[in-house]
Amino acid sequence: MPTDLKKMRNIGIMAHIDAGKTTTTERILFYTGKIHKIGEIDDGQATMDWMQQEQERGITICSAATTTTWKGCQINIIDTPGHVDFTAEVERSLRVLDGAVAVICAVDGVQPQTETVWKQADNFCVPRIVYMNKMDRIGADFFGSMKDIEDKFGVECAALQIPIGQGQEFEGLIDLIAMKELRFEGEEGENVVVSDIDASRLDDAKAWRETLIDKVASADDELAEIYLEGGEISDSQIKAALRKATVNRALVPVVMGSSRHNQGVQPLIDAVIDYLPCPTDIPPAKGIHVKKDKEEEVQIPCDASKQALGLVFKIQYDKEMGSLCYVRMYSGKISSGTQILNINKKKRERVNRILRMHADKSEPVNTVEAGDIAVFVGLKLAQTGDSIGSEGFPVLLEEPVFPQPVISVALEPESMSERDKMNETLEILSKEDPTFTYHEDAETGQLIISGMGELHLDVLVTRMKDDFKVQCRVGAPQVTYRESVTAAAETSDVFEKVLAGKENRAGLSVRVEPRETGSGNSYSCTVRKQEIPDEIYSAIESGFKSCLDSGINYGYPCADIAVTVTGIEYDELTASTFAYEACAAQLFDKVCNMASPELLEPVMNVDISCPKEFVGDAMSQMTQRGGMILGQDSKAGGDIVHAQAPMAKMFGFSTNLRSATQGRASFSMEFSHFQVKAGGLDSF
């Protein structure tokens, strides 16, 4: 492990689904000597897609970490998912990375999910380079796609290469700094053949090199002076200025290739080393010192000689080893077998082993130092977002913030014996994935699981069945309706019954009326007679309150009903608490059915965030589900539509909304109120 932090890179590979992230990562591992055979996603053989679900579906589901070396530098790589349902994996990876490679398809340019991950990288101020993949595909347009990036993200791109032919004619590239042609030969493209630029392409190459120098000089005062005076700028000066501009996020270097056909990956690895930051290039991490007055903010320089401090950014469950905690070290060093403090939980834990991961395989290491990423085994209490370190330096690092789950389904075990096993599995999965939650609905008794989308939940349920061997059934969650009255009514009734030779008799008069929406139920008694004991009053109140909980016709709890007892018939010889409770129940059903009962359904407040061009489509999706548009706000990043819709109509909305908006819209939902169900009781 190099102690020289200048020779370390922590990078993420991010992109839209199917842009070629995992394929590119496979090539990087092959050319750096980490693996000896390239695995293809189509065959389910990709090293980084090690999970069975990933191999079967041909997509990346969870971010996989690996470490490799290139030209004496250590590169920690995290391959992130591209599907919108797994954005939390990208979110937590970017939180701890120093730089990122954005893989963009040369045919499609900037795709919807590229926008999402780009915004996430902006939020964490992560410097990035762009790798234009699939240059050999029909319709590939390097310059058009580069302009697309500049227009959509408002960044300045610096092309470090230009293609030799595009689409099916793509045969190599021209390096604008070295001013050489590069071609990739050999069975796996391992031989980089360097040649002089062909005369027919020289003028074009010179013009693009001039553009590159112009962009670099405009971001660097020293180079600008040499450039304006007409002086000669060396290759090393261009590289140094370009690195500085990339780290400061003033420029985005762009390289290209075709990962599937083993072209252009070696120059990409060079660009990672040359232009992406090392742990000491980026500003120091910030944290809150919990023991100082007013919990002041402190800066944490990346220094192995200081007190230990790291952030748990991912938890993964392993059948043999238990919880694997992925940790990014920000300061100091931690050795295996030592005791550390979980600063969030204020508890001590022991690090049994430290591993360096390679997808699902690992190799043990003794120590992990500041700037590095490793996996700790043996931490029982740690959760995603926890800070770990020493008692002498209790600093809380900023936790990653995850989006709220947007879709829920009901889960039930095949048999009662599976229930405990299912609960244990759900606890493991929710610890692994902060966007997956579960709870038992107190009203329906169903176990409800929530996640980021239908694919997300489908993957998790499949994992429960295949990996954890839990037999369970999935269904739509039941909606919790309410019952109420829409008119006032008043009546009287008498309950009479002979039990064990004793006559039980009770007579009551009651009035019910609707209350204002959201004000709840109320009970009152206007009769006060000295001869009636308190236990009779209590029995009448208890009878009516239990009726309000158990509903009128359908067994759903009542809402917004005022119950007033207006008369009590009392005879001390025949009165009993049982008789008055029974009379209250009998009378409640009778009077409520006279007061035009209605079924109420829950209505949700829905906020839809989407680009301006898709506002009409988003509104249309809402109104198709019986929703009502309340208003619209315009923000710099897109519009927010405020609406209300019945909860029963919102199942599957996430998928439909994404389909209508190319995956670029998202929504959040919270309970608003209950309203009369459209169509009345007959539609139930």
Side-chain angles (χ1 to χ4, degrees), residues 574-592:
T574 56
S576 69
T577 54
F578 154 72
Y580 281 98
E581 271 198 58
C583 185
Q586 187 175 295
L587 188 55
F588 183 81
D589 283 350
K590 183 177 173 184
V591 73
C592 285

Side-chain angles (χ1 to χ4, degrees), residues 281-424:
D281 284 336
I282 55 170
K286 290 178 180 160
I288 302 288
H289 200 297
V290 293
K291 284 194 178 168
K292 290 198 176 174
D293 292 341
K294 296 179 185 173
E295 295 193 341
E296 66 178 66
E297 191 173 82
V298 291
Q299 292 198 333
I300 301 117
C302 188
D303 188 341
S305 62
K306 297 277 195 292
Q307 296 262 34
L309 184 66
L311 179 75
V312 177
F313 68 94
K314 177 179 162 78
I315 303 275
Q316 194 172 299
Y317 179 75
D318 184 89
K319 283 179 190 170
E320 291 162 15
M321 293 184 278
S323 283
L324 304 179
C325 298
Y326 285 70
V327 176
R328 161 72 196 254
M329 289 298 292
Y330 284 95
S331 173
K333 59 183 174 185
I334 293 175
S335 300
S336 56
T338 56
Q339 203 174 57
I340 55 155
L341 176 72
N342 183 324
I343 298 158
N344 294 66
K345 306 281 189 300
K346 297 183 175 141
K347 294 276 174 70
R348 291 187 192 137
E349 293 208 71
R350 184 171 293 281
V351 180
N352 294 340
R353 283 192 289 161
I354 300 176
L355 307 173
R356 193 170 292 293
M357 295 306 287
H358 175 49
D360 61 333
K361 298 182 175 60
S362 59
E363 56 184 79
V365 290
N366 293 325
T367 308
V368 58
E369 297 186 355
D372 210 346
I373 291 173
V375 166
F376 289 13
V377 180
L379 306 186
K380 292 181 174 62
L381 302 171
Q383 287 179 289
T384 301
D386 281 359
S387 301
I388 57 171
S390 61
E391 292 180 41
F393 191 53
V395 172
L396 284 174
L397 292 156
E398 186 190 349
E399 296 178 29
V401 178
F402 298 108
Q404 291 298 309
V406 296
I407 189 166
S408 306
V409 295
L411 202 64
E412 59 181 49
E414 295 262 343
S415 62
M416 287 311 290
S417 59
E418 291 281 311
R419 192 168 185 88
D420 291 344
K421 192 175 172 187
M422 186 170 87
N423 285 334
E424 281 172 28

